[in-house]
Amino acid sequence: MSVATESPAPRNYEVVPKTSPEGSELDGELLEVAMGPQHPSTHGVFRMDVVLDGETVVKLKPVFGYLHRNHEKIAENTSYLGSMPYTDRLDYFCSLTNNWAYALAVEKLAGLQVPERAEFIRVITAELTRLQNHTSVCGFLLQDMGALGTPLMYAFREREKILDLFESLTGARMMCNYMRFGGCRCDLPPGWLDRVRKIVGDFPQFLDSYEALLNTNEILLARTQGVGRLPRELAISAGVTGPMLRACGVDYDIRKVDHYGIYDRFEFRIPLGEQGDVYDRYMIRLLEIRESLKILQQALKEVPGGPIIDPKAKLRSFRPKVGEAYGRIEGPKGELGFYLISDGSPNPYRYRVRPPSLINLTILEDMCLGQSVADAVVTLGSVDIVLGEVDR
């Protein structure tokens, strides 16, 4: 083994004068650290510029834009149907719910009706998506705490089963491109519902063992309770949605508020937290998995026969009438909405996305101030971001 004689590469930090947030001079120095940009196998190509007093965060700036690909302007120069595959790339963990939100906006714009069978298929695929998203983010969160291997691999084992279902239905595991305006692209393959019933029936056993392994773990409790707290009032004023908002105790779920699709037919509860900390965000996702299982069990008993797409949906010559529409759903990460303006042409005149990852990321500094730099990493993990949504 040889010893390198060259000078080491400069590290990604600098020393800055120590000042309080108000700007008054303090004794000593603060350390400014650029954490990232991280590899996509973590939370995406994302950077946090953090100012530290020792190991305490006194300032934090989220930096993104490394993945920007002009999604919205591309859609304004593409046909309505041609934009459906692009929605898959927003949140590549949740392509089917992305499809649904976009389809819902176009259906409002064009006045299309979705057949009963297609509505059930949409609910089933959306709740399966929620299962695999929440299971995965809990595994990622534990990995951020240093639990390398077991929790994430257990989560991915269950996720693989659901991705196999998506592949047999849509032909793709992640970029599904399955929803269509007025319904779905194709009907269910033979035996598909039976496979779903098997996975849904077995999932509670996995969840019980997963929680028994983790929920009372001393390290998990120490690293999550009281860490990254988000006040209820700030969450509401910042437009935070999804599990992050409900972890603050706010009873708001678009499935209950809007009753889009056929969600008004199913019995399920909205779990709520109290402290709004990392632990509550973790527990809310586990509890929401159990509620999704309830929805799936009810939906699987009632799937009707019939068509899977509105016969009025002429996708080849699709030109919605002049107007505007906003379609939104309760995605796994929060409110995912699409705002469209039609001028009567084959392409949208305006196309805008309301992505939950970007909105929820805006209050990252508020949750991290006064915390240790190690806790800032865990807090970021509890937000559950995907940079495809943040940058678009």
Side-chain angles (χ1 to χ4, degrees):
M1 174 181 291
S2 62
V3 178
T5 58
E6 297 179 358
S7 299
R11 296 181 181 273
N12 198 16
Y13 65 80
E14 62 178 300
V15 176
V16 297
K18 188 171 183 178
T19 58
S20 70
E22 292 76 21
S24 60
E25 293 292 333
L26 301 175
D27 294 333
E29 294 176 331
L30 298 178
L31 189 67
E32 185 175 309
V33 181
M35 301 177 64
Q38 305 292 355
H39 190 274
S41 64
T42 54
H43 298 289
V45 189
F46 172 73
R47 188 174 98 226
M48 293 189 294
D49 284 346
V50 187
V51 178
L52 301 175
D53 181 358
E55 290 194 4
T56 302
V57 176
V58 296
K59 186 178 180 181
L60 185 148
K61 178 184 177 182
V63 181
F64 38 80
Y66 299 98
L67 201 65
H68 183 64
R69 59 202 189 286
N70 212 25
H71 174 108
E72 292 163 327
K73 295 307 292 184
I74 288 174
E76 291 172 6
N77 292 279
T78 306
S79 69
Y80 284 89
L81 182 58
S83 293
M84 184 64 78
Y86 287 106
T87 67
D88 291 344
R89 276 75 179 172
L90 286 170
D91 179 355
Y92 35 81
F93 269 78
C94 307
S95 67
L96 286 163
T97 47
N98 300 347
N99 289 174
W100 193 0
Y102 177 52
L104 192 64
V106 177
E107 285 156 6
K108 287 184 176 182
L109 195 61
L112 296 175
Q113 299 297 317
V114 181
E116 281 279 294
R117 182 171 176 82
E119 291 282 24
F120 274 89
I121 294 173
R122 287 181 172 189
V123 168
I124 291 169
T125 55
E127 295 309 315
L128 287 172
T129 298
R130 202 177 314 274
L131 287 188
Q132 61 94 11
N133 180 85
H134 284 3
T135 303
S136 298
V137 74
C138 289
F140 285 131
L141 182 61
L142 269 294
Q143 189 177 45
D144 288 341
M145 294 180 206
L148 303 178
T150 303
L152 182 60
M153 290 302 102
Y154 278 14
F156 267 34
R157 180 189 64 189
E158 302 306 310
R159 177 175 178 252
E160 285 297 303
K161 299 174 185 177
I162 296 175
L163 294 187
D164 287 343
L165 285 174
F166 292 166
E167 184 178 20
S168 64
L169 174 61
T170 71
R173 295 166 61 79
M174 294 179 68
M175 310 303 174
C176 296
N177 184 24
Y178 179 66
M179 305 295 179
R180 290 294 181 266
F181 314 137
C184 302
R185 173 161 55 88
C186 59
D187 207 344
L188 304 176
W192 193 83
L193 287 176
D194 291 333
R195 292 172 59 190
V196 176
R197 292 186 184 99
K198 176 69 166 57
I199 290 174
V200 170
D202 293 344
F203 216 91
Q205 182 178 356
F206 153 73
L207 206 55
D208 291 342
S209 62
Y210 201 66
E211 292 195 54
L213 176 69
L214 298 172
N215 286 8
T216 57
N217 181 279
E218 292 183 11
I219 298 175
L220 183 143
L221 296 178
R223 294 297 309 280
T224 60
Q225 291 186 340
V227 173
R229 293 187 63 180
L230 176 60
R232 172 191 177 104
E233 296 75 17
L234 176 59
I236 295 171
S237 64
V240 171
T241 55
M244 284 192 64
L245 180 65
R246 293 187 284 275
C248 302
V250 181
D251 187 1
Y252 185 80
D253 187 307
I254 298 173
R255 293 173 295 178
K256 291 283 192 180
V257 174
D258 285 1
H259 297 298
Y260 65 92
I262 52 172
Y263 274 110
D264 57 337
R265 305 187 190 183
F266 305 119
E267 294 290 333
F268 62 100
R269 298 182 304 115
I270 306 301
L272 301 176
E274 295 179 355
Q275 303 299 318
D277 56 11
V278 172
Y279 183 77
D280 276 359
R281 292 193 280 276
Y282 162 77
M283 285 302 303
I284 287 296
R285 291 183 173 98
L286 290 178
L287 294 171
E288 286 191 1
I289 290 174
R290 295 191 182 275
E291 297 305 312
S292 289
L293 290 171
K294 292 180 184 178
I295 295 172
L296 285 164
Q297 289 165 353
Q298 295 172 70
L300 289 167
K301 293 178 182 178
E302 303 175 14
V303 180
I308 58 164
I309 195 165
D310 186 344
K312 298 178 183 177
K314 299 178 180 179
L315 301 182
R316 292 182 182 272
S317 58
F318 192 73
R319 290 172 178 262
K321 62 183 179 180
V322 175
E324 59 183 314
Y326 179 67
R328 64 177 188 168
I329 67 165
E330 184 64 41
K333 294 173 173 61
E335 178 181 336
L336 173 61
F338 286 80
Y339 174 66
L340 302 173
I341 298 178
S342 170
D343 60 359
S345 69
N347 306 342
Y349 177 73
R350 284 290 181 267
Y351 174 111
R352 293 292 180 267
V353 184
R354 191 271 185 206
S357 290
L358 174 64
I359 307 300
N360 293 349
L361 192 59
T362 59
I363 40 75
L364 181 61
E365 180 182 41
D366 299 272
M367 295 189 293
C368 293
L369 291 179
Q371 307 283 325
S372 72
V373 64
D375 288 342
V377 174
V378 177
T379 302
L380 172 64
S382 72
V383 178
D384 186 17
I385 63 170
V386 166
L387 266 293
E389 253 184 13
V390 173
D391 285 343
R392 302 188 299 290

